[in-house]
Amino acid sequence: MVYLQETAMETWSVEQVCSWLVEKNLGELVHRFQEEEVSGAALLALNDRMVQQLVKKIGHQAVLMDLIKKYKQNTQGLKSPENPKEAALVMQTEAARERNVKHILARSKALQWTKSYVLPEFPYDVKCMLAEQKCPDHSMRIRIIEFLQADMTKYLEGSLYPSTQQYNDVVNALLQAHPFLDEDGCGFFLWKRALKDRFKYVRRPIEDDEQVIRNKCKFGHRRGQKRKSLADIRFDEIKLVQIKEEAVCFDSELDEHIKWFQQEYVKTEKDWREIDKRMSQTLEIRRKMIGSQTPLKDILKLFPFLKCPYQIFREFQLLTRTDIYKKTRHILESYSENILTSFSVVDNPINILLQEKMKHYTDEDMLKYMKLTATCLLLPDVFGDDPSLFVIMNEQVQVSTPVLEVKNPFNMEVCEFSLYLERERLTKVDDCVTALAALVAAFHVFGIECPRRLSQTFNFLETLIFDMHSPYFPSLKEKEKEVGFQLPVT
């Protein structure tokens, strides 16, 4: 033991560190330190997070950190220069070095976050539960959420305001590492909401943090307001309990809706009246999820009926009070002749194929159907946009934004229109009117920004669908000259 006291800790071997632990009544940690090969230099380099991963008991963590801190203080005291000027210079140098280290660590953590979030090492009881793939109970869920929140705060250099993407990264990392936590396909939303609620709970009592104060002022909290009386505090506590109870009821009600949707979706005969009712009841939470950029695949897991054209149209009507299908049919029927005779599409292969096919038919309904289909397919060409962002024929879908895939467009019996989203087929329809209406509705329903190379076509459609003149629409006279026919005046 005397030998340890006479030598610098930086030079200790793993065996010497273990002897020191025994001397300090921390013999329980010896096996762990031997396993991780913690030498004296490594011991002095441990930070808070490393100690938490290395030592499981909070009491042992506190004792170990205190011993290391005292050793560093004593060492610095022995090495401090007697000359005041020299001491001040050393202090300035140390401060500058500390600032540089903090800056480097901050940059390193930021870079680590942008690449991928790495889950922390959970406490022993949580690791056992995860290893056994048991469904966590309420207390275990809280343990996991608290640990993730603390780890995120360290990644964010103490900030209590993660971004939406950072929430998504953490929850995705959790579910990828432990897929069984994604219960019935609802896990992403439920874990993300619990994590956000945990950050709100941590922020609520904080009154002296500059960032928290700034955000509280931004969202309606008054800085410097008088302290509440005991009666007011008690009233707020009762109100908070009521809010939590309502939230629990809402959670259970939402879970019940989601399970019902998933069971009903696989049935051959569906209760569409009940589906409409439940989709209306869950509209608000669904819009919040879409607004917070929840991954589309998770939204479709929770609400699979959004894959149905009828429900996409209904959601669009709930949001805009507009019958998208009726409006789309009116547009195609009203502008079909003008579009098909526009000089910009006369030599287009689709128009040439249409003219050839029409020679073999005399039935009015068939001719009308073929003209409407060609009108739908030629819209981007008329307005000088990129057709590959609008419709794909005989090729693999490459774009992630909503796009139509078309097969046998001029054959009423075997034609096929499919709406793709994020390179996966969302739904299949039989006619061009339904396909175009679903395409336009998908951008609005799923909150997707229209590609710039398709903006002219969508400006034209939305001008007519919403009975308004888009401020981004080009000069009417200039566009009339360009496309070769008169555009609507609203």
Side-chain angles (χ1 to χ4, degrees):
M1 302 302 176
V2 177
Y3 172 71
L4 290 178
Q5 295 174 3
E6 292 176 350
T7 57
M9 187 178 285
E10 293 90 336
T11 63
W12 289 0
S13 64
V14 176
E15 289 73 17
Q16 289 172 314
V17 170
C18 293
S19 299
W20 177 75
L21 290 172
V22 173
E23 181 184 349
K24 299 300 182 182
N25 296 321
L26 295 174
E28 292 182 30
L29 308 182
V30 168
H31 178 70
R32 182 73 172 138
F33 274 60
Q34 288 175 337
E35 193 177 63
E36 296 295 334
E37 298 184 358
V38 180
S39 63
L43 181 65
L44 294 175
L46 293 176
N47 57 30
D48 292 352
R49 188 175 180 184
M50 292 177 184
V51 171
Q52 287 177 2
Q53 292 179 346
L54 191 65
V55 182
K56 301 307 176 187
K57 293 183 179 179
I58 294 176
H60 287 167
Q61 291 177 10
V63 172
L64 183 62
M65 292 296 291
D66 185 60
L67 289 171
I68 294 173
K69 181 180 178 182
K70 286 180 179 178
Y71 178 84
K72 289 180 178 179
Q73 288 175 344
N74 292 337
T75 305
Q76 289 173 356
L78 291 172
K79 293 181 179 179
S80 58
E82 296 180 2
N83 189 333
K85 291 184 178 180
E86 187 178 347
L89 181 62
V90 170
M91 289 178 64
Q92 289 176 3
T93 305
E94 288 294 326
R97 188 178 69 175
E98 187 176 349
R99 284 195 299 270
N100 289 337
V101 169
K102 285 184 176 180
H103 177 72
I104 292 169
L105 287 174
R107 275 186 63 84
S108 174
K109 288 181 179 179
L111 289 171
Q112 288 173 4
W113 189 285
T114 55
K115 290 177 182 176
S116 62
Y117 173 80
V118 180
L119 287 174
E121 186 175 346
F122 289 108
Y124 179 74
D125 57 336
V126 177
K127 285 200 296 185
C128 290
M129 184 277 298
L130 294 173
E132 295 173 3
Q133 296 192 3
K134 289 183 178 179
C135 183
D137 57 18
H138 180 68
S139 61
M140 188 60 72
R141 284 176 178 273
I142 292 175
R143 290 263 288 154
I144 294 172
I145 288 297
E146 287 178 346
F147 212 78
L148 289 175
Q149 180 269 319
D151 190 64
M152 286 177 71
T153 303
K154 290 177 182 177
Y155 260 100
L156 298 169
E157 289 290 294
S159 171
L160 295 174
Y161 290 92
S163 67
T164 298
Q165 186 58 50
Q166 288 165 339
Y167 279 121
N168 291 345
D169 290 343
V170 173
V171 176
N172 279 327
L174 178 67
L175 298 184
Q176 286 174 9
H178 310 288
F180 72 95
L181 295 177
D182 189 9
E183 303 165 22
D184 300 323
C186 313
F188 180 88
F189 170 65
L190 297 175
W191 284 101
K192 180 179 176 181
R193 184 168 56 182
L195 192 55
K196 293 178 76 172
D197 288 344
R198 176 62 189 172
F199 270 96
K200 289 180 183 177
Y201 175 80
V202 171
R203 291 194 299 260
R204 188 177 292 119
I206 297 177
E207 298 181 354
D208 56 353
D209 183 270
E210 183 178 346
Q211 187 183 18
V212 174
I213 292 171
R214 186 167 61 248
N215 279 277
K216 283 185 176 181
C217 292
K218 179 179 178 180
F219 295 106
H221 297 264
R222 295 180 181 177
R223 188 172 185 176
Q225 58 187 357
K226 294 181 179 179
R227 291 189 175 273
K228 294 182 178 180
S229 65
L230 291 175
D232 290 336
I233 293 173
R234 180 59 184 158
F235 176 78
D236 287 348
E237 288 175 352
I238 295 171
K239 189 175 180 182
L240 183 60
V241 170
Q242 291 174 343
I243 291 171
K244 286 182 177 180
E245 289 176 353
E246 291 173 1
V248 170
C249 292
F250 180 75
D251 284 351
S252 60
E253 184 180 347
L254 179 62
D255 291 343
E256 194 274 326
H257 282 308
I258 289 169
K259 288 179 181 178
W260 189 89
F261 283 139
Q262 292 170 344
Q263 292 170 359
E264 189 72 13
Y265 187 71
V266 297
K267 292 181 180 179
T268 305
E269 295 185 5
K270 299 175 174 58
D271 185 351
W272 287 106
R273 182 174 294 182
E274 183 66 17
I275 292 168
D276 290 349
K277 177 183 174 183
R278 289 174 180 264
M279 288 293 283
S280 297
Q281 291 172 342
T282 55
L283 177 66
E284 182 180 354
I285 188 64
R286 189 162 57 251
R287 300 320 304 171
K288 286 183 179 179
M289 290 175 62
I290 292 172
S292 63
Q293 299 179 341
T294 303
L296 179 60
K297 64 178 182 179
D298 294 303
I299 293 173
L300 294 176
K301 279 183 183 178
L302 300 176
F303 307 101
F305 286 100
L306 282 180
K307 298 176 183 179
C308 304
Y310 166 73
Q311 283 300 328
I312 296 178
F313 297 161
R314 189 174 181 276
E315 188 101 347
F316 184 91
Q317 189 158 10
L318 289 172
L319 296 173
T320 65
R321 299 182 181 180
T322 302
D323 187 337
I324 183 70
Y325 179 83
K326 182 179 178 181
K327 288 281 189 178
T328 303
R329 174 167 285 280
H330 175 72
I331 292 170
L332 292 180
E333 290 177 347
S334 301
Y335 292 91
S336 178
E337 291 296 333
N338 285 332
I339 288 174
L340 294 177
T341 56
S342 172
F343 63 81
S344 59
V345 299
V346 169
D347 297 326
N348 190 286
I350 294 175
N351 203 355
I352 294 172
L353 180 61
L354 170 66
Q355 302 304 323
E356 287 295 324
K357 289 283 186 180
M358 288 177 65
K359 294 176 182 178
H360 304 289
Y361 295 94
T362 56
D363 182 73
E364 288 295 327
D365 290 337
M366 177 62 77
L367 293 174
K368 181 180 179 180
Y369 164 80
M370 294 170 67
K371 286 182 178 181
L372 292 183
T373 301
T375 301
C376 173
L377 302 180
L378 290 170
L379 275 174
D381 295 281
V382 172
F383 291 94
D385 283 336
D386 186 350
S388 66
L389 298 176
F390 189 83
V391 62
I392 303 294
M393 288 197 296
N394 304 320
E395 291 182 16
Q396 187 176 359
V397 174
Q398 299 289 346
V399 296
S400 59
T401 51
V403 67
L404 297 177
E405 182 194 52
V406 183
K407 296 178 182 178
N408 306 308
F410 300 118
N411 190 330
M412 187 180 289
E413 295 179 357
V414 296
C415 69
E416 186 178 300
F417 292 83
S418 299
L419 176 62
Y420 274 72
L421 190 49
E422 293 187 350
R423 299 183 181 89
E424 294 186 7
R425 185 161 69 178
L426 186 69
T427 185
K428 186 174 75 171
V429 297
D430 298 326
D431 66 276
C432 64
V433 176
T434 306
L436 181 56
L439 178 66
V440 176
F443 279 96
H444 288 268
V445 169
F446 296 111
I448 300 170
E449 186 177 354
C450 175
R452 191 172 293 179
R453 289 181 291 157
L454 206 57
S455 59
Q456 301 297 325
T457 303
F458 268 77
N459 282 338
F460 168 73
L461 292 169
E462 291 179 350
T463 298
L464 296 166
I465 289 170
F466 297 114
D467 295 322
M468 60 184 289
H469 189 72
S470 171
Y472 303 105
F473 202 70
S475 168
L476 200 59
K477 294 297 180 184
E478 290 178 7
K479 184 51 68 175
E480 285 173 0
K481 292 178 183 179
E482 184 179 335
V483 301
F485 62 87
Q486 188 173 2
L487 295 172
V489 178
T490 58

